[in-house]
Amino acid sequence: MPHSKNKLLIITGGSAGIGRATAELFKEKGYQILNLSRRPLPPHLGQHLQVDLSDPNWPNQATAQIDQTCAQRDQITLIHNAAILRKDRLQAASAELAKVFQVNLIAAQQLNEIVLPHMRRDSAILYIGSTLSEKAVPGALSYTASKHALLGLMRASCQDLMGSGIHTACLCPGFTDTQMLRDHLGGDPKIIEQIAAANSYHRLLTPKEIAQTLLFAAATPAINGSLIHANLGQRET
């Protein structure tokens, strides 16, 4: 039988929503899983490392265990999925800005610096952006700004990884049926219905659909440096 690669998925925010669906799918495909988040990952899915990414000093408690888990892996896929979404505006956003940027952007780069020395050719670094990585809506200033910055981090990653055999991409999901989205919309079924009607299929995406797109991106070096929209074809207004 051909040699089966010793593959590892490292994901942040893998305990729910898109992260949970991604951990489940990669597990099915033979990856071992390491999740970093506050909430636990079910033990059958893989290893959980409880960290609070909003604390700038989180690497102090996590680096040794990450190093141990990454050692001697043939292939590592690193997915930066954790994010927080606040309702804030230009008139009053500074109070939350540092925390949002820490979770949505800075923690990703901190994790890059820990994992990158262990990554061999055919590994991948994938960033979860948003439709708000390229545009904006009212009432989401810190999230929008952080997702714009995350796209820049991906593009810089591509340039700095030239010749390494490690590829990168930023996947921007459309409106996906997650608890974070429903909480942000206040659970209002009319608003959810309106949002669902704004794409070609008149429905929300499922977390599994985003997970399937991430699996494709992890295995496809041709998309190195790419911004990928997975949104069912949004109607532009």
Side-chain angles (χ1 to χ4, degrees):
M1 294 179 62
H3 174 66
S4 177
K5 284 192 173 182
N6 180 16
K7 299 182 292 186
L8 173 67
L9 169 68
I10 301 175
I11 187 167
T12 60
S15 58
I18 290 171
R20 171 70 176 269
T22 301
E24 290 173 345
L25 181 60
F26 275 69
K27 179 75 172 180
E28 289 175 13
K29 299 301 180 180
Y31 283 75
Q32 296 182 48
I33 311 297
L34 173 62
N35 170 59
L36 280 69
S37 65
R38 290 177 299 173
R39 291 179 292 180
L41 187 74
H44 74 276
L45 284 181
Q47 184 179 356
H48 173 68
L49 181 53
Q50 185 170 0
V51 294
D52 182 358
L53 298 176
S54 69
D55 179 357
N57 297 312
W58 70 264
N60 294 342
Q61 70 179 88
T63 298
Q65 187 169 341
I66 296 171
D67 284 341
Q68 183 178 7
T69 303
C70 289
Q72 303 303 312
R73 300 289 180 172
D74 294 325
Q75 185 185 89
I76 297 174
T77 296
L78 172 57
I79 299 181
H80 297 296
N81 169 69
I84 53 177
L85 172 59
R86 296 286 187 259
K87 292 184 177 181
D88 53 16
R89 293 176 175 268
L90 183 67
Q91 291 85 350
S94 58
E96 289 289 326
L97 196 62
K99 182 176 181 179
V100 172
F101 265 69
Q102 171 59 40
V103 174
N104 295 6
L105 178 72
I106 297 170
Q109 176 55 23
Q110 290 174 308
L111 188 53
N112 283 342
E113 293 176 11
I114 297 168
V115 177
L116 192 59
H118 300 282
M119 300 182 89
R120 300 181 181 182
R121 297 186 70 86
D122 298 323
S123 293
I125 301 174
L126 304 177
Y127 299 88
I128 304 296
S130 165
T131 55
L132 299 183
S133 290
E134 289 195 304
K135 58 184 181 181
V137 295
L141 183 145
S142 58
Y143 184 81
T144 299
S146 68
K147 290 300 185 179
H148 273 65
L150 195 71
L151 174 56
L153 179 57
M154 182 279 293
R155 288 172 169 159
S157 300
C158 178
Q159 295 302 308
D160 287 344
L161 291 171
M162 282 288 167
S164 68
I166 301 167
H167 70 276
T168 186
C170 181
L171 177 68
C172 294
F175 291 107
T176 306
D177 193 359
T178 63
Q179 192 61 49
M180 185 172 78
L181 175 66
R182 290 182 176 272
D183 289 346
H184 185 67
L185 300 177
D188 188 327
K190 290 184 179 180
I191 297 177
I192 293 170
E193 184 178 345
Q194 290 171 358
I195 287 175
N199 66 56
S200 182
Y201 290 79
H202 289 200
R203 64 173 177 83
L204 298 177
L205 287 138
T206 67
K208 186 173 182 180
E209 287 177 302
I210 304 304
Q212 290 168 333
T213 310
L214 287 165
L215 185 66
F216 162 79
T220 309
I223 52 85
N224 192 20
S226 294
L227 173 68
I228 302 172
H229 286 287
N231 59 26
L232 297 172
Q234 288 188 187
R235 180 179 291 111
E236 297 298 337
T237 58

